[in-house]
Each structure stands twice: as structure tokens, then as C-alpha cells.
Amino acid sequence: MKTHTFRLKPQQDLFDSIEEFIKQNNIEAGCVLSSVGSLTHATLRLANRGYYNDYDGHFEIVSMTGTVSIHGSHIHVAISDGDGVTIGGHLVSGCKIYTTAEIILLELEDVVYKRELFENDSGYEELVVYKK
């Protein structure tokens, strides 16, 4: 196992920047260990919805978890506003960093994560784990 720690700066896209880091480091299997930071815009896909919701304001990243891979990532994020109202969902492109985002990823070096569509399953490409 190997850890990666990096910081995102104002106006960077949270999801796209994580994906770029994964590609640059050729991470085939990993997970989000920790993340803190803030956003000025959030784009999320909420539970059981086929469309995205957009939110403008100032938000704290209070939780982020997921599996990451150059073959496809699946990340969930929870954010809270100035009143502590918290929402969460699938992280997608469009979330803009306000002050910072500090990301810690764990890379698993003995497996490969891929996403595959299975007949009579969820209808989404789901995680498949292959041994190296």
C-alpha cells in the first residue's frame, strides 16, 4: 500500500483534479482516506436521480469517500453550508474549490479496480476487482 497526499487550490474542479492525479500517478486501485476543504459551487448526483443538482454558496467538505482508479472512480461527498445543513451524493465534475481541498488517497498495489456492466444487475457499471 502507498499513500498520496495533495492539495487543490481555489477554482480547481474537485472531481476532475482527483481524476487527473490518479492518471498522472497511474493508480489502478485506491480509496479516498480523507478530505477536507471548501467549495463555492457543488454539482452532485443525488440518490436514485438521473440528473445533476447544482448548489452555489460557501460549503465545507465534511466527508468524502470512494474507490478510485484510472479505469473508473466512484466517489461520494457530503458538504455543509453556513447553517450546518448537509447534503451529499455522487461527486461529479463541476465542484469548484473555494480555499483549499486536502486529499489523501490510499493506493492498493496488489489489485486492479475496473468498472463493468453486468446483465440483470444495477444498470450501472459496477466495481470489479482483479488480482495483479
Side-chain angles (χ1 to χ4, degrees):
M1 291 186 284
K2 182 177 178 182
T3 59
H4 299 271
T5 303
F6 58 100
R7 176 182 176 249
L8 302 179
K9 296 179 182 176
Q11 295 304 307
Q12 285 185 277
D13 186 285
L14 182 58
F15 183 77
D16 292 348
S17 297
I18 293 170
E19 288 288 281
E20 182 61 30
F21 185 90
I22 292 162
K23 287 178 186 156
Q24 288 175 350
N25 290 276
N26 199 38
I27 297 172
E28 291 194 287
C31 66
V32 178
L33 281 181
S34 179
S35 178
V36 295
S38 58
L39 304 173
T40 56
H41 179 84
T43 302
L44 304 175
R45 186 173 68 77
L46 304 180
N48 202 36
R49 296 217 178 135
Y51 56 90
Y52 299 155
N53 289 73
D54 289 299
Y55 306 91
D56 288 305
H58 290 94
F59 305 99
E60 293 289 337
I61 299 168
V62 295
S63 177
M64 189 164 65
T65 189
T67 54
V68 297
S69 171
I70 58 172
H71 307 292
S73 298
H74 184 187
I75 303 172
H76 288 186
V77 66
I79 58 173
S80 65
D81 66 14
D83 293 320
V85 175
T86 303
I87 56 169
H90 290 270
L91 180 64
V92 297
S93 297
C95 295
K96 297 297 180 191
I97 303 299
Y98 176 42
T99 59
T100 192
E102 302 164 6
I103 314 291
I104 304 171
L105 302 179
L106 176 68
E107 180 179 0
L108 306 168
E109 299 172 300
D110 59 340
V111 294
V112 175
Y113 290 169
K114 294 202 174 179
R115 302 240 153 232
E116 297 178 11
L117 187 61
F118 295 98
E119 192 173 325
N120 299 319
D121 199 10
S122 68
Y124 295 98
E125 289 186 338
E126 298 293 358
L127 179 68
V128 180
V129 181
Y130 293 97
K131 292 280 186 188
K132 280 191 175 177

